[in-house]
Amino acid sequence: MPREALSAAAILNFVMLACSASLFSVPVMAPEIAADLGLSTNYVGVYSGLLWTCALLTSYGSGPLIARFGPMGVSQLCLLWCALGLFVAALGTWPAFVLASMFIGLAHGVETPASSQLLARLTPAPQQPLVFSLKQTGVQLGGMLSGVLFPFLLLRFGWRGALLAMAVAMLLSAWALQTARRRFDRDFHAAHASIPAKPMTQALRAVWVDPNLFRITIAALAYVGAQVCFNAFLVSYLVHERGLSLAVAGSVLTVGQFGGLLGRVIWGAISGRILPATVLLIALGTVMTAGFALLGGIGHHLPLLLLYLVCFVVGLTVSGWNGVFLAEIARLAPRNEVGRITGASFVISGTGLVVGPLIFSALAGASSAAMAYMLCAASTLAGVACLAWRRSA
């Protein structure tokens, strides 16, 4: 495997870890923030919905940003946007949280297209599922870090101090990335200097008319909606409906994220070598469905150790499929259009990140979070049906 590809994947993994930590900051501390400000934890759904709406808008414009700043330059922008969002969130007013969700969303919308463009150029096709999956483990590492770090910081500095500390770490990380930008973006600009810019509408049309791209993108929409709800609401669900402490609930989230970390590596190694990507994604979706049904159906009554196990299995699948998906998009897309096609696919599939938390919040408020997790099971089952239809077609 090329050393340059592994080096770039490691750097981009760190960027994703940092961005993921900023994403989890408010949901992990939501019970404490809500109690301090007199709000309901169901507002996490509104926060997540706004965040991913902004992510979709940025993803739509990812092509020009990547062409202008290069993949590593865009990664620096992502860290700066996250830092700004955390600084603003520490103000603790509802307009501040709206702005914070927008800034953090901007970062998450363009980070994946930029990294996909660079890794697709550096990595031979047979190794792409594993390299993409290794890079994507930054999401789980960031989630695991958040589940442990933010409760620790909260006890010592309060939730505002925890947000400010993470913001400073983001700024330092953006500065440290300058060396990598000089290393990788110089070759990127040289390789793409003669490629004419194309509007994003062409990339959206390419996803729409290609049956393979379209069906895997629609399946990803179903999977990713369930994924964001599992991550964003698990702590609040376990605190308010299961009666666990914030620290224990955070540790359950950490176990789920650890499952996702292992899953991304394992599924990346399997995809294309032992199982075709579509077959693997169908199998993962089937396990997701069973896990969400258990979590929503009897999660209130499961012994704690069994609850850890269920959340580990759910994390193994619902947070472990993304690298396989991104590598399959890179395989199907024209080589010089990987970033643009990835961004276009995210514009479609990412609507699950917006709609999922809003529907979850509404159902949790009207009924319970347990019932909302049963809806997640229905969503992942729909994704399985979409992929199975793709294979039979």
Side-chain angles (χ1 to χ4, degrees), residues 24-34 150-151 154 158-159 162-163 246:
F24 282 106
S25 59
V26 171
V28 167
M29 297 189 291
E32 187 71 20
I33 295 173
F150 283 116
L154 188 150
W159 62 269
L163 292 174
L246 180 62

Side-chain angles (χ1 to χ4, degrees), residues 155-211:
L155 290 174
R156 285 153 181 80
F157 308 110
W159 62 269
R160 297 174 194 268
L163 292 174
L164 291 174
M166 184 58 66
V168 172
M170 295 286 177
L171 291 176
L172 295 174
S173 299
W175 174 77
L177 213 63
Q178 187 62 28
T179 301
R181 183 182 183 185
R182 288 194 295 266
R183 176 181 175 185
F184 290 103
D185 284 355
R186 179 178 54 194
D187 293 338
F188 170 83
H189 288 303
H192 289 72
S194 61
I195 299 175
K198 298 179 181 179
M200 178 57 91
T201 51
Q202 288 190 14
L204 285 169
R205 185 178 183 277
V207 173
W208 185 267
V209 301
D210 185 306

Side-chain angles (χ1 to χ4, degrees), residues 1-9 122 183-184:
M1 191 176 297
R3 181 178 299 177
E4 283 286 277
L6 288 176
S7 178
L122 297 175
R183 176 181 175 185
F184 290 103

